[in-house]
Amino acid sequence: MAHPASPTVARHGGPLAGAIRVPGDKSISHRALMLGALAIGRTEITGLLEGEDVLATAAALNALGASVTRGGDGRWSVDGIGVGGLAEPQDLLDLGNSGTAARLLLGVLATHPITAFVTGDASLRRRPMGRVVEPLSRFGARFVSREGGRLPLAVSGAADPIPIVYRLPVPSAQVKSAVLLAGLNAPGATIVIERQPTRDHTERMLRHFGAAVSTEPEEGGLRVTVEGFPEMTAAPIIVPGDPSSAAFPLVAALIVPGSDVTVEGVGINPLRTGLLECLCEMGADIALLNRREEGGEPVADIRARAGTLAGAEIPAERAPRMIDEYPILAVAAACARGRTVMRGLAELRVKESDRLAAIAAGLAGCGVRVVVDGDDLIIEGDGGPPAAGALIETQLDHRIAMAFLVLGLAAKEPVRIDDAAPIATSFPGFIAMMNRLGAAIGEA
Ligand code: S3P
């Protein structure tokens, strides 16, 4: 999966216009493959994200004895082997750049009585896995990892798992999901308590496959319970467009004067729409059209038109509902008038890169006034695009790469990124799609 670096430049040009569809939701795509593998029968999936992260999950599931195959026109099928049915892989499971693949699969593996060796790329090998190793060990799984719970690690799943009650120490859908997935092959009820609600795609999809999952309010947060040993039956899945990918063309339309872009069929699960709330508070011209339900998830067409944006206060409580959108929100803030304060961003430090540092360094390079104050990010905009351009180090981070290319479409000087290759993890075809809308992004 390693690519030669692909230096790329984005330049200011004419308005962006048109209607597009972005690739399928990354979170839902991983879960469709994993839960399909744990169900009995053939699950047919439409609109699966064919990005490298999801392809890594597909390869891992094949190595574990499920059968994931690609059909024509974006259709995939998974022949599942049932909860508890995975077989020991013969080689390392390499999950590339994907934290979701690694953490959710470790959850599944923790209650299968097999041993697996898990690794990933340089970015994933830096990221904390202790946050899943700790709760999964309580089920009886054994782990040997590098210092700080880092990959590569070995997991030997519990032969007689004990279900657990786990209070999430950090708001993380990946940790919640890892524990719930481990609970599938443990007797009785496994419970996760989250103080701040995080994306609930795992819970929704488990129900879709026939597992018993309940969600009740608890201490201002939620208590999620899954019953062990469910009979999960194959069920068709339609993957909506990824709101985290749609964010890039939508913000581009807001900041490039004269633009008018519609992204069709985007997931608007309320636990993913924090960015849209922020942009509306900043005065953005955004409309949600044609709202509907597809495959158990709410979906809409989202239209964004250029206009002036104002700075805003973004509360820490909103972070779990827009955790992947801060790089592109920061780009919008850099083009807005006045101060934007984004609070409570500690989790950004452990994403594909240290995003708090990467955003601040990249914006400062473009001449934007930006300060990191503890876990808060403060950006002062002049009410227009930044005057300077810069060379951005993408650090194997797809969202840093896309966010700064979008900034380059508005900035007065070109913005270069050292490597566009990581974009293929979540948004294959991003550059071509943006250029079809009228952007000027090309080889540097
Ligand atoms: C994801 C959860 C989030 C998010 C990631 C996808 C998921 O991570 O950043 O891109 O699919 O559950 P955390 O759980 O680490 O917040």
Side-chain angles (χ1 to χ4, degrees), residues 25-28 30-31 53 99-101 103-104 127 131 170-177 198-199 201-202 244 272 319-320 322-325 347-348 350-352 355 398-399:
D25 188 281
K26 182 154 69 71
S27 295
I28 295 175
H30 284 297
R31 287 157 172 83
D53 278 14
T100 308
R103 296 196 178 110
L104 269 59
R127 297 180 67 186
R131 54 178 57 195
V170 284
S172 165
Q174 292 178 357
V175 178
K176 171 177 66 174
S177 301
T198 61
R199 65 190 72 191
H201 306 301
T202 302
S244 298
R272 299 286 297 280
M322 56 175 295
I323 194 65
D324 292 332
E325 279 63 82
E347 276 296 297
L348 288 198
V350 291
K351 293 298 177 188
E352 286 81 333
R355 285 188 180 156
H398 54 132
R399 300 201 203 281

Short mmCIF file of all heavy atoms in Angstrom, two decimals, residues 25-28 30-31 53 99-101 103-104 127 131 170-177 198-199 201-202 244 272 319-320 322-325 347-348 350-352 355 398-399, ligand 1:
data_model
loop_
_atom_site.label_atom_id
_atom_site.label_comp_id
_atom_site.label_asym_id
_atom_site.label_seq_id
_atom_site.Cartn_x
_atom_site.Cartn_y
_atom_site.Cartn_z
N ASP A 25 -19.46 6.07 2.94
CA ASP A 25 -19.02 6.40 4.29
C ASP A 25 -17.99 5.37 4.78
O ASP A 25 -18.22 4.17 4.75
CB ASP A 25 -20.24 6.40 5.22
CG ASP A 25 -19.90 6.91 6.59
OD1 ASP A 25 -19.33 6.15 7.39
OD2 ASP A 25 -20.19 8.08 6.85
N LYS A 26 -16.87 5.89 5.26
CA LYS A 26 -15.77 5.00 5.68
C LYS A 26 -16.17 4.19 6.91
O LYS A 26 -15.96 2.98 6.96
CB LYS A 26 -14.53 5.86 5.95
CG LYS A 26 -13.30 5.10 6.34
CD LYS A 26 -12.03 5.86 5.99
CE LYS A 26 -11.82 7.10 6.83
NZ LYS A 26 -11.46 6.80 8.23
N SER A 27 -16.74 4.86 7.89
CA SER A 27 -17.13 4.14 9.13
C SER A 27 -18.13 3.03 8.83
O SER A 27 -18.01 1.91 9.33
CB SER A 27 -17.77 5.12 10.11
OG SER A 27 -16.85 6.08 10.54
N ILE A 28 -19.12 3.35 8.01
CA ILE A 28 -20.16 2.37 7.71
C ILE A 28 -19.60 1.25 6.84
O ILE A 28 -19.95 0.07 7.00
CB ILE A 28 -21.37 3.08 7.05
CG1 ILE A 28 -21.99 4.05 8.06
CG2 ILE A 28 -22.41 2.07 6.56
CD1 ILE A 28 -23.12 4.90 7.51
N HIS A 30 -16.48 -0.03 6.80
CA HIS A 30 -15.74 -1.00 7.63
C HIS A 30 -16.72 -1.93 8.37
O HIS A 30 -16.53 -3.14 8.45
CB HIS A 30 -14.93 -0.27 8.71
CG HIS A 30 -13.68 0.39 8.23
ND1 HIS A 30 -12.63 -0.29 7.69
CD2 HIS A 30 -13.31 1.69 8.27
CE1 HIS A 30 -11.65 0.58 7.41
NE2 HIS A 30 -12.04 1.78 7.73
N ARG A 31 -17.74 -1.31 8.93
CA ARG A 31 -18.69 -2.09 9.75
C ARG A 31 -19.50 -3.05 8.90
O ARG A 31 -19.82 -4.16 9.33
CB ARG A 31 -19.60 -1.13 10.53
CG ARG A 31 -18.86 -0.43 11.68
CD ARG A 31 -19.55 0.86 12.07
NE ARG A 31 -19.02 1.49 13.26
CZ ARG A 31 -17.95 2.29 13.32
NH1 ARG A 31 -17.28 2.57 12.21
NH2 ARG A 31 -17.56 2.83 14.46
N ASP A 53 -8.29 2.15 3.16
CA ASP A 53 -8.60 1.72 4.53
C ASP A 53 -9.58 0.56 4.53
O ASP A 53 -9.43 -0.42 5.25
CB ASP A 53 -9.24 2.88 5.32
CG ASP A 53 -8.21 3.85 5.87
OD1 ASP A 53 -7.05 3.79 5.44
OD2 ASP A 53 -8.58 4.67 6.74
N GLY A 99 -7.03 3.33 11.58
CA GLY A 99 -7.30 3.14 13.00
C GLY A 99 -8.60 2.41 13.23
O GLY A 99 -8.72 1.58 14.14
N THR A 100 -9.61 2.70 12.42
CA THR A 100 -10.91 2.04 12.60
C THR A 100 -10.76 0.54 12.33
O THR A 100 -11.26 -0.29 13.11
CB THR A 100 -11.96 2.64 11.63
OG1 THR A 100 -11.95 4.05 11.79
CG2 THR A 100 -13.34 2.11 11.93
N ALA A 101 -10.08 0.18 11.24
CA ALA A 101 -9.90 -1.24 10.93
C ALA A 101 -9.17 -1.92 12.09
O ALA A 101 -9.58 -2.99 12.56
CB ALA A 101 -9.11 -1.39 9.63
N ARG A 103 -8.71 -1.04 15.34
CA ARG A 103 -9.35 -1.10 16.67
C ARG A 103 -10.60 -1.97 16.63
O ARG A 103 -10.86 -2.76 17.55
CB ARG A 103 -9.66 0.32 17.16
CG ARG A 103 -8.37 1.12 17.36
CD ARG A 103 -8.58 2.37 18.19
NE ARG A 103 -7.34 3.09 18.40
CZ ARG A 103 -7.05 4.27 17.85
NH1 ARG A 103 -7.92 4.87 17.06
NH2 ARG A 103 -5.90 4.86 18.10
N LEU A 104 -11.40 -1.87 15.59
CA LEU A 104 -12.61 -2.70 15.55
C LEU A 104 -12.27 -4.17 15.37
O LEU A 104 -12.86 -5.04 16.02
CB LEU A 104 -13.55 -2.22 14.43
CG LEU A 104 -14.58 -1.16 14.84
CD1 LEU A 104 -13.94 0.09 15.38
CD2 LEU A 104 -15.52 -0.81 13.69
N ARG A 127 0.01 5.30 16.59
CA ARG A 127 -1.24 5.66 17.27
C ARG A 127 -1.53 4.74 18.47
O ARG A 127 -1.15 3.58 18.48
CB ARG A 127 -2.39 5.63 16.25
CG ARG A 127 -2.17 6.66 15.16
CD ARG A 127 -3.27 6.66 14.14
NE ARG A 127 -4.53 7.09 14.69
CZ ARG A 127 -5.68 7.08 14.02
NH1 ARG A 127 -5.70 6.65 12.78
NH2 ARG A 127 -6.78 7.50 14.58
N ARG A 131 -5.88 2.06 24.35
CA ARG A 131 -7.28 2.38 24.64
C ARG A 131 -8.23 1.24 24.30
O ARG A 131 -9.34 1.18 24.84
CB ARG A 131 -7.69 3.68 23.93
CG ARG A 131 -7.42 3.66 22.44
CD ARG A 131 -7.86 4.94 21.73
NE ARG A 131 -7.25 6.15 22.27
CZ ARG A 131 -7.70 7.38 22.01
NH1 ARG A 131 -8.76 7.56 21.23
NH2 ARG A 131 -7.12 8.42 22.53
N VAL A 170 -12.33 8.05 27.04
CA VAL A 170 -12.26 9.09 26.00
C VAL A 170 -13.48 8.90 25.10
O VAL A 170 -13.94 7.78 24.92
CB VAL A 170 -10.99 8.97 25.11
CG1 VAL A 170 -9.76 9.46 25.84
CG2 VAL A 170 -10.79 7.55 24.61
N PRO A 171 -14.02 10.00 24.55
CA PRO A 171 -15.16 9.82 23.64
C PRO A 171 -14.66 9.22 22.33
O PRO A 171 -14.08 9.93 21.52
CB PRO A 171 -15.70 11.25 23.45
CG PRO A 171 -14.55 12.14 23.78
CD PRO A 171 -13.61 11.41 24.68
N SER A 172 -14.83 7.93 22.14
CA SER A 172 -14.31 7.27 20.94
C SER A 172 -15.26 6.19 20.46
O SER A 172 -15.49 5.20 21.16
CB SER A 172 -12.93 6.66 21.22
OG SER A 172 -12.60 5.75 20.19
N ALA A 173 -15.78 6.39 19.25
CA ALA A 173 -16.66 5.37 18.66
C ALA A 173 -15.88 4.10 18.36
O ALA A 173 -16.43 3.00 18.35
CB ALA A 173 -17.29 5.91 17.39
N GLN A 174 -14.58 4.26 18.10
CA GLN A 174 -13.78 3.06 17.81
C GLN A 174 -13.65 2.20 19.06
O GLN A 174 -13.77 0.97 18.98
CB GLN A 174 -12.40 3.47 17.29
CG GLN A 174 -12.45 4.12 15.92
CD GLN A 174 -11.10 4.57 15.43
OE1 GLN A 174 -10.10 4.46 16.13
NE2 GLN A 174 -11.07 5.11 14.22
N VAL A 175 -13.41 2.81 20.21
CA VAL A 175 -13.27 2.03 21.44
C VAL A 175 -14.63 1.42 21.81
O VAL A 175 -14.73 0.23 22.14
CB VAL A 175 -12.70 2.90 22.58
CG1 VAL A 175 -12.61 2.08 23.86
CG2 VAL A 175 -11.33 3.44 22.20
N LYS A 176 -15.67 2.24 21.73
CA LYS A 176 -17.02 1.71 22.01
C LYS A 176 -17.31 0.50 21.11
O LYS A 176 -17.75 -0.55 21.58
CB LYS A 176 -18.06 2.81 21.74
CG LYS A 176 -19.50 2.32 21.79
CD LYS A 176 -20.53 3.45 21.60
CE LYS A 176 -20.48 4.08 20.23
NZ LYS A 176 -21.55 5.08 20.02
N SER A 177 -17.01 0.65 19.84
CA SER A 177 -17.32 -0.42 18.88
C SER A 177 -16.48 -1.66 19.15
O SER A 177 -16.97 -2.79 19.05
CB SER A 177 -17.08 0.07 17.45
OG SER A 177 -17.90 1.19 17.19
N THR A 198 -21.06 9.24 20.83
CA THR A 198 -20.23 9.19 19.62
C THR A 198 -21.03 8.47 18.52
O THR A 198 -22.07 7.87 18.80
CB THR A 198 -18.93 8.43 19.87
OG1 THR A 198 -19.26 7.08 20.23
CG2 THR A 198 -18.11 9.06 20.98
N ARG A 199 -20.52 8.49 17.30
CA ARG A 199 -21.25 7.92 16.17
C ARG A 199 -21.75 6.51 16.51
O ARG A 199 -21.03 5.71 17.13
CB ARG A 199 -20.38 7.93 14.90
CG ARG A 199 -19.16 7.07 14.94
CD ARG A 199 -18.25 7.34 13.75
NE ARG A 199 -17.60 8.62 13.87
CZ ARG A 199 -16.91 9.22 12.90
NH1 ARG A 199 -16.77 8.66 11.73
NH2 ARG A 199 -16.34 10.38 13.10
N HIS A 201 -22.96 4.03 14.38
CA HIS A 201 -23.15 3.14 13.22
C HIS A 201 -23.08 1.66 13.62
O HIS A 201 -23.76 0.83 13.04
CB HIS A 201 -22.11 3.43 12.14
CG HIS A 201 -22.06 4.87 11.71
ND1 HIS A 201 -23.15 5.52 11.18
CD2 HIS A 201 -21.05 5.78 11.75
CE1 HIS A 201 -22.80 6.77 10.91
NE2 HIS A 201 -21.55 6.94 11.24
N THR A 202 -22.22 1.34 14.59
CA THR A 202 -22.12 -0.07 15.00
C THR A 202 -23.44 -0.54 15.58
O THR A 202 -23.95 -1.62 15.23
CB THR A 202 -20.99 -0.23 16.04
OG1 THR A 202 -19.78 0.24 15.46
CG2 THR A 202 -20.82 -1.68 16.47
N SER A 244 -17.92 13.11 6.02
CA SER A 244 -16.56 13.60 6.28
C SER A 244 -15.82 13.85 4.97
O SER A 244 -14.90 14.66 4.93
CB SER A 244 -15.79 12.59 7.14
OG SER A 244 -16.44 12.44 8.38
N ARG A 272 -23.00 12.87 13.28
CA ARG A 272 -21.93 13.22 12.33
C ARG A 272 -22.06 14.65 11.78
O ARG A 272 -21.27 15.03 10.93
CB ARG A 272 -21.98 12.24 11.13
CG ARG A 272 -21.75 10.77 11.47
CD ARG A 272 -20.33 10.44 11.80
NE ARG A 272 -19.43 10.67 10.68
CZ ARG A 272 -19.25 9.83 9.65
NH1 ARG A 272 -19.92 8.70 9.60
NH2 ARG A 272 -18.39 10.12 8.69
N ALA A 319 -17.37 18.18 19.74
CA ALA A 319 -16.23 17.52 19.09
C ALA A 319 -16.53 16.08 18.63
O ALA A 319 -16.19 15.72 17.50
CB ALA A 319 -15.01 17.55 19.99
N PRO A 320 -17.18 15.23 19.46
CA PRO A 320 -17.38 13.86 18.98
C PRO A 320 -18.25 13.79 17.72
O PRO A 320 -18.17 12.82 16.97
CB PRO A 320 -18.09 13.17 20.16
CG PRO A 320 -17.74 13.99 21.35
CD PRO A 320 -17.63 15.39 20.86
N MET A 322 -18.07 15.77 15.20
CA MET A 322 -17.39 16.35 14.03
C MET A 322 -15.89 16.14 14.12
O MET A 322 -15.11 16.93 13.59
CB MET A 322 -17.70 17.84 13.93
CG MET A 322 -17.35 18.64 15.16
SD MET A 322 -17.60 20.41 14.92
CE MET A 322 -16.37 20.77 13.67
N ILE A 323 -15.49 15.05 14.79
CA ILE A 323 -14.08 14.90 15.15
C ILE A 323 -13.15 14.91 13.93
O ILE A 323 -12.04 15.42 14.01
CB ILE A 323 -13.88 13.64 16.03
CG1 ILE A 323 -12.50 13.67 16.69
CG2 ILE A 323 -14.13 12.35 15.27
CD1 ILE A 323 -12.29 14.78 17.67
N ASP A 324 -13.63 14.41 12.80
CA ASP A 324 -12.75 14.36 11.62
C ASP A 324 -12.81 15.65 10.79
O ASP A 324 -12.10 15.78 9.79
CB ASP A 324 -13.14 13.18 10.72
CG ASP A 324 -12.83 11.85 11.40
OD1 ASP A 324 -11.91 11.81 12.22
OD2 ASP A 324 -13.53 10.86 11.10
N GLU A 325 -13.67 16.58 11.19
CA GLU A 325 -13.91 17.75 10.35
C GLU A 325 -13.13 19.00 10.78
O GLU A 325 -13.25 20.05 10.16
CB GLU A 325 -15.42 18.08 10.33
CG GLU A 325 -16.22 17.25 9.36
CD GLU A 325 -16.23 15.76 9.67
OE1 GLU A 325 -17.01 15.30 10.52
OE2 GLU A 325 -15.41 15.05 9.05
N GLU A 347 -8.21 15.01 21.33
CA GLU A 347 -8.22 13.78 20.51
C GLU A 347 -7.58 14.00 19.13
O GLU A 347 -7.16 13.05 18.48
CB GLU A 347 -9.66 13.28 20.34
CG GLU A 347 -10.14 12.41 21.50
CD GLU A 347 -9.35 11.11 21.63
OE1 GLU A 347 -9.39 10.29 20.71
OE2 GLU A 347 -8.68 10.93 22.65
N LEU A 348 -7.52 15.27 18.68
CA LEU A 348 -6.92 15.51 17.36
C LEU A 348 -5.44 15.15 17.33
O LEU A 348 -4.87 14.91 16.26
CB LEU A 348 -7.07 16.98 16.96
CG LEU A 348 -8.44 17.49 16.57
CD1 LEU A 348 -8.30 18.80 15.81
CD2 LEU A 348 -9.20 16.49 15.74
N VAL A 350 -4.11 12.45 18.30
CA VAL A 350 -3.85 11.01 18.08
C VAL A 350 -4.59 10.49 16.84
O VAL A 350 -4.96 9.32 16.76
CB VAL A 350 -4.20 10.17 19.33
CG1 VAL A 350 -3.21 10.48 20.45
CG2 VAL A 350 -5.64 10.39 19.79
N LYS A 351 -4.81 11.36 15.88
CA LYS A 351 -5.41 10.93 14.61
C LYS A 351 -4.30 10.47 13.65
O LYS A 351 -3.21 10.19 14.09
CB LYS A 351 -6.25 12.07 14.02
CG LYS A 351 -7.48 12.40 14.86
CD LYS A 351 -8.41 11.22 14.94
CE LYS A 351 -9.61 11.49 15.84
NZ LYS A 351 -10.40 10.26 16.05
N GLU A 352 -4.58 10.41 12.36
CA GLU A 352 -3.58 9.91 11.41
C GLU A 352 -2.27 10.70 11.52
O GLU A 352 -1.20 10.19 11.21
CB GLU A 352 -4.14 9.97 9.99
CG GLU A 352 -5.19 8.90 9.68
CD GLU A 352 -6.60 9.21 10.18
OE1 GLU A 352 -6.78 9.96 11.18
OE2 GLU A 352 -7.57 8.69 9.58
N ARG A 355 -3.10 16.28 14.39
CA ARG A 355 -3.80 17.26 13.54
C ARG A 355 -3.80 18.66 14.14
O ARG A 355 -3.86 19.65 13.39
CB ARG A 355 -5.25 16.81 13.29
CG ARG A 355 -5.31 15.69 12.29
CD ARG A 355 -6.72 15.33 11.87
NE ARG A 355 -6.63 14.25 10.90
CZ ARG A 355 -7.60 13.38 10.66
NH1 ARG A 355 -8.74 13.47 11.29
NH2 ARG A 355 -7.43 12.44 9.76
N HIS A 398 -4.65 11.89 5.22
CA HIS A 398 -5.53 12.23 4.10
C HIS A 398 -6.30 13.52 4.33
O HIS A 398 -6.50 14.31 3.41
CB HIS A 398 -6.50 11.07 3.84
CG HIS A 398 -7.28 10.61 5.04
ND1 HIS A 398 -8.62 10.40 5.02
CD2 HIS A 398 -6.91 10.33 6.32
CE1 HIS A 398 -9.03 10.00 6.21
NE2 HIS A 398 -8.01 9.94 7.01
N ARG A 399 -6.76 13.75 5.56
CA ARG A 399 -7.60 14.94 5.78
C ARG A 399 -6.78 16.23 5.82
O ARG A 399 -7.26 17.29 5.42
CB ARG A 399 -8.45 14.77 7.03
CG ARG A 399 -9.38 13.57 6.95
CD ARG A 399 -10.55 13.66 7.89
NE ARG A 399 -11.07 12.34 8.17
CZ ARG A 399 -11.87 11.66 7.34
NH1 ARG A 399 -12.25 12.19 6.18
NH2 ARG A 399 -12.30 10.44 7.67
C1 S3P B 1 -14.41 6.40 13.64
C2 S3P B 1 -14.33 7.06 14.84
C3 S3P B 1 -13.49 8.25 15.04
C4 S3P B 1 -13.08 8.89 13.73
C5 S3P B 1 -12.61 7.88 12.72
C6 S3P B 1 -13.70 6.87 12.44
C7 S3P B 1 -15.25 5.19 13.54
O1 S3P B 1 -12.33 7.87 15.73
O2 S3P B 1 -12.05 9.83 13.94
O3 S3P B 1 -12.24 8.51 11.51
O4 S3P B 1 -15.49 4.71 12.41
O5 S3P B 1 -15.67 4.68 14.59
P1 S3P B 1 -12.27 7.79 17.34
O6 S3P B 1 -13.12 6.70 17.81
O7 S3P B 1 -10.81 7.55 17.64
O8 S3P B 1 -12.73 9.14 17.80
#
